Amino acid sequence: MKMKKWLAPVLGLALIVSPVTGAYAAETTPTVKTPASDLRATFDYLLSEHYALAVDTMIKTYDGNKAAPEAAKALDQNAKDMEPAIASIYGEEGGKQFEAIFAPHNAATDDYAKAVKDGDKTAQDAATKEVDKFVNDMAAFLSTATGGKLPEAGAKQALAEHEADVQQVFDQYVAKDYEGAYKTYLAGFEQIFGAGKAISGAIVAQNPDKFNNTKPDTAAADLRSALTMLGSEHFALATLSMEKGYDGDPDYDYVNWAQDQNTAAFKAAFTSIYGADAGNQFEKLWTTNHINAQADLAAATAAKNTDDEQKDKTRLTNTFANDFGNFLATATDGNLPAKDAIAALTQHETTVTDTFDKYVSADYAGSYASYREGYKLMSGIGENLGGAIVTQFPDKFSDKMPTSMPNTGMGGGEQTNHNLALWIGLSAIILAGAGFIIFRQQKQQHR
C-alpha cells in the first residue's frame, strides 16, 4: 500500500547523516524534524518494533500458535533493517559487526521459549547464556563505536534491562500472571524508547557536524518521541488484543487492561496540552469507535457474523478516522489539516484490520507484512502530530521554561494551572525519566 507523502516516516536510513544545506534554526525556532531528531526516531522505531516482535514471537512459540514462524521471520527482518542505520554512520564494516552481534540473540530468545515449552532446562540455560553474551558484546560494540560517548557500563545496564523485560514478560505469561506480564510489557516499552534516546544522543555527541549541530533531546524531539511511543504501543496492543479476542485466549482481558493504560497516557498528554475538556473529548472519541470497535470486530469475526464485521470495520476506517481527524485538526488550529489527519487515521485502521484479517485467514506472512507497515506508520504520525503541536505553540517548545499554559480554544487552556512547562509536563507524564534509563541503577520489577 502506497503511503501518502506526508505520512512516510522520515526514517530514510541511508539519509540520516547525509549533508544538509543551510543552517537549522533549532536554537531559535523549535521543530520536531532535524537530522538529530530523525536519528532518534530511527532508533525509536526499530528498537521498539524489535521489543514488540520479540515478546510476540516468544508468546506465540510457547502457545504453539501457527503464526509463530512468521513472527520470528518478522523479528529477523527487523534486525536486518537495523544494519543500514548503523552502516550509514559507521560504515559497511560497522553495520556487519552490528548484525553479527544482534542477529543471534533473536534466535536465542526463540530458543528460550521453545526450551521452556519443552521443559528442557539445558537448552533454556544455553539460550540464557547466548542472551548474556549479546548484552556484553553489544555494549562493548556501542561503546567502542561511539568513542566512549555511550559508556560500556551504561550500555550494558540498558541492554540487560531490555532483555530482562522481554524474559520477564514471557516468564510471567507462562506462569499465568497476566497482570504482571502486561505491567512489565508497558514498562519495557518505555525503557526501549529511553535506550533509543541515549544511543542517538551518544552518536550525535560523537559526530555533531554530521547532524548539523542539532540535538536529539530537545523539547520538540521529546514530544515527537513521546507521541511515537504511545502510538506504537497502541498499534502493538491493538493487533495483539484482536488476535487474542478472536482466539479466546485467557490473557485477553489483560491485554485490554494494557490498552486502557495506553489510552489513559494519551488522554494525559492531550490534557497536558489542551486542557481537561479536550482530554475528555479525546477519551470519548478514542474509545467509542476505536478501542471498542476493535474488540467488537474480533468478537464478530469469531462468531462469523459478517454483517457486524463490516459495520465494525466501517466504524474504524470511516467513523473514527473522520471524527478523530477533525478533532485533531481543530485542536491544532489546522496545523494538522483535517484531510491529512483523516488519511493517516484511515491508513492506520486499514493496517490494523488487514493484519487481523490475514491472521484469521491463516495468511501469517501477509499479516506480519501488514503489521510492519502499520507499526512504521506510527512513527510518521508521531512526527506529524508532534510537528503540528510545536508549530502551534513554538514558545512552549523553545527549551526555555514557559510560565503558563496556552488558551487553545479546546476548553480548559486557561483553566489549567500547571506549574510545570508544557513540554516538561508532557515528558514527565509519558516518558517518566526514560531518557536517563540507560544509567538506571536498579531494575524496576513492577509499575
Side-chain angles (χ1 to χ4, degrees), residues 261-276:
Q261 306 313 300
N262 176 266
T263 297
F266 251 132
K267 179 182 177 180
F270 275 92
T271 299
S272 171
I273 299 169
Y274 297 112

Side-chain angles (χ1 to χ4, degrees), residues 5-213:
K5 286 184 178 180
W6 85 273
L7 288 174
V10 187
L11 302 171
L13 301 180
L15 300 177
I16 56 179
V17 294
S18 60
V20 181
T21 57
Y24 274 82
E27 298 301 318
T28 57
T29 304
T31 173
V32 300
K33 180 162 179 56
T34 67
S37 60
D38 283 351
L39 176 70
R40 179 178 174 182
T42 298
F43 284 109
D44 281 350
Y45 155 54
L46 290 171
L47 291 174
S48 67
E49 187 190 47
H50 159 75
Y51 173 75
L53 286 171
V55 171
D56 184 54
T57 299
M58 294 180 76
I59 287 176
K60 281 186 167 65
T61 297
Y62 178 79
D63 286 344
N65 190 304
K66 293 180 180 179
E70 292 299 333
K73 288 180 183 178
L75 181 62
D76 289 342
Q77 187 58 52
N78 165 272
K80 292 176 183 176
D81 290 345
M82 290 189 194
E83 182 184 352
I86 300 299
S88 66
I89 302 165
Y90 297 114
E92 185 177 342
E93 186 60 32
K96 288 180 179 178
Q97 289 179 29
F98 174 88
E99 185 180 18
I101 297 170
F102 197 89
H105 104 284
N106 282 341
T109 55
D110 194 34
D111 290 344
Y112 181 84
K114 291 175 181 176
V116 172
K117 180 179 177 62
D118 296 339
D120 187 339
K121 186 66 166 60
T122 300
Q124 186 175 328
D125 290 343
T128 299
K129 288 180 180 178
E130 185 63 40
V131 171
D132 290 342
K133 182 178 185 300
F134 159 74
V135 169
N136 291 325
D137 291 350
M138 184 56 73
F141 170 83
L142 291 173
S143 179
T144 300
T146 61
K149 295 294 185 182
L150 186 60
E152 185 172 349
K156 184 176 179 179
Q157 178 72 16
L159 290 164
E161 287 174 356
H162 160 65
E163 294 302 332
D165 284 332
V166 173
Q167 182 170 324
Q168 186 177 339
V169 172
F170 176 71
D171 288 344
Q172 289 171 320
Y173 180 85
V174 171
K176 296 182 171 42
D177 177 13
Y178 301 128
E179 180 179 355
Y182 286 104
K183 282 182 178 179
T184 305
Y185 183 87
L186 295 176
F189 235 101
E190 182 180 311
Q191 191 272 347
I192 204 67
F193 272 78
K197 180 175 183 178
I199 293 171
S200 60
I203 293 171
V204 170
Q206 181 190 24
N207 306 285
D209 292 344
K210 289 185 178 180
F211 297 93
N212 211 37
N213 295 304

Side-chain angles (χ1 to χ4, degrees), residues 431-445:
L431 288 176
F436 302 97
I437 265 177
I438 198 161
F439 301 109
R440 190 169 60 189
Q441 297 300 310
Q442 183 174 2
K443 175 79 176 97
Q444 291 181 316
Q445 296 297 326

